[in-house]
Amino acid sequence: MKIATWNVNSLRVRLPHLLDWLARQAPDVACLQETKCEDATFPAAELAAAGYHALHHGQRTYNGVAILTREPAVECGRGIPAFEDAQSRVIAADYRGVRIVSVYVPNGQAVGSEKYQYKMRWFEALVEWLRDELAAHPRILVAGDYNVAPEDRDVHDPAAWEGKVHVSAAEREALQRVIALGFKDAFRLFEQPEGSFSWWDYRLNAFRRKMGLRIDHVLLSPALAAEAKACTIDVEPRRLERPSDHAPVICELA
DNA sequence: ATGGTAGAAACTCTA
């Protein structure tokens, strides 16, 4: 089973890229973030024509997460149950015996800001929720935009980024608390090229200059990690005209 | 030097 995650930064704008990419990569599951559309305007018909069923937790202008599947999946919740959140950042589904969670962790804007504090509270709620979810569903994966680069090798210029949002010690510790529940970062189960990133700022020609961060992750439960065959970042969509600022991450399970 | 671009929506906020 081939499972992908991609922050598309507006599903409406990126729909042509997404449809081309679905045809090329043919994932069984695609977790999307930043759809930036309401459920009412979700392009379900276009995706159905491309061969995908969709579950969407939408929101106007900001956020919005979806799960695309080849066959219908069973939705099992939106948001973090014990965390009151006006922002659409989580959707979960069962598909072919796997609990799939698509997450869009808050950006955090700047260390110490109000949005950063929200990010840290959000992470704590995620950890508490996933502890129970992992116990109840041994075959679970949590894929999405975590807005944290776990290690210095996930950062193009660690010195320049030191202490900044996405890289700060507190954010890395928060992500490690998720991983410490028992999850594996699928990407690091395999040998990878140096300078592997999943996001590049639109500004300053960051993509061409290889100024990226690896902030999009597929976290696998131990049962699924044992079945992982490969995990790659597909940078091709980032090369296109009018791209998302993120590249898809693709994980293959046996 | 605190820049730059992109998206949605509304003349600003978020990333």
Side-chain angles (χ1 to χ4, degrees):
Chain A
M1 185 152 69
K2 192 168 173 179
I3 295 150
T5 181
W6 192 8
N7 179 324
V8 293
N9 187 17
S10 172
L11 184 52
R12 209 161 315 164
V13 171
R14 225 63 65 201
L15 189 59
H17 288 190
L18 177 62
L19 294 175
D20 289 349
W21 178 80
L22 289 170
R24 179 163 64 81
Q25 290 287 359
D28 297 285
V29 177
C31 298
L32 307 181
Q33 299 85 35
E34 285 207 87
T35 61
K36 295 187 175 179
C37 70
E38 294 175 297
D39 291 344
T41 55
F42 187 83
E46 291 90 335
L47 290 166
Y52 287 90
H53 298 259
L55 298 169
H56 184 226
H57 181 25
Q59 184 181 335
R60 191 175 120 117
T61 310
Y62 304 118
N63 312 309
V65 285
I67 299 174
L68 310 184
T69 50
R70 280 296 197 185
E71 303 296 329
V74 177
E75 184 180 328
C76 29
R78 301 173 176 204
I80 300 171
F83 186 76
E84 195 68 40
D85 195 353
Q87 305 187 17
S88 299
R89 297 185 173 278
V90 175
I91 188 165
D94 281 329
Y95 184 65
R96 290 174 54 183
V98 178
R99 173 66 54 106
I100 312 277
V101 187
S102 177
V103 298
Y104 176 43
V105 174
N107 175 287
Q109 197 168 60
V111 172
S113 68
E114 202 169 298
K115 290 186 177 64
Y116 182 84
Q117 291 166 26
Y118 165 65
K119 181 179 194 173
M120 301 310 293
R121 288 199 309 276
W122 202 96
F123 251 122
E124 284 313 300
L126 182 70
V127 170
E128 293 312 309
W129 177 52
L130 290 180
R131 178 176 292 116
D132 296 338
E133 287 296 290
L134 180 59
H137 310 285
R139 297 175 61 77
I140 183 171
L141 68 88
V142 188
D145 178 359
Y146 283 80
N147 271 311
V148 178
E151 300 176 76
D152 280 354
R153 60 179 166 162
D154 303 310
V155 180
H156 72 92
D157 184 347
W161 277 86
E162 191 178 0
K164 299 259 193 321
V165 73
H166 308 308
V167 165
S168 72
E171 289 167 90
R172 285 178 167 175
E173 285 160 14
L175 178 58
Q176 286 308 316
R177 282 195 285 277
V178 178
I179 289 170
L181 298 173
F183 289 97
K184 298 289 185 192
D185 176 353
F187 192 73
R188 292 299 179 202
L189 294 175
F190 305 95
E191 193 171 329
Q192 302 291 357
E194 267 185 57
S196 290
F197 308 124
S198 67
W199 172 84
W200 302 260
D201 200 302
Y202 283 122
R203 297 166 288 189
L204 300 169
N205 245 323
F207 180 67
R208 191 183 54 74
R209 297 162 68 189
K210 305 184 190 303
M211 297 165 59
L213 302 179
R214 192 176 70 89
I215 57 177
D216 299 87
H217 310 299
V218 178
L219 301 189
L220 302 173
S221 67
L224 294 182
E227 300 172 11
K229 295 293 173 226
C231 185
T232 56
I233 299 171
D234 180 6
V235 299
E236 293 308 316
R238 189 65 177 79
R239 302 186 199 282
L240 302 174
E241 288 289 322
R242 228 181 162 191
S244 169
D245 45 352
H246 294 252
V249 182
I250 304 168
C251 180
E252 288 185 55
L253 301 178

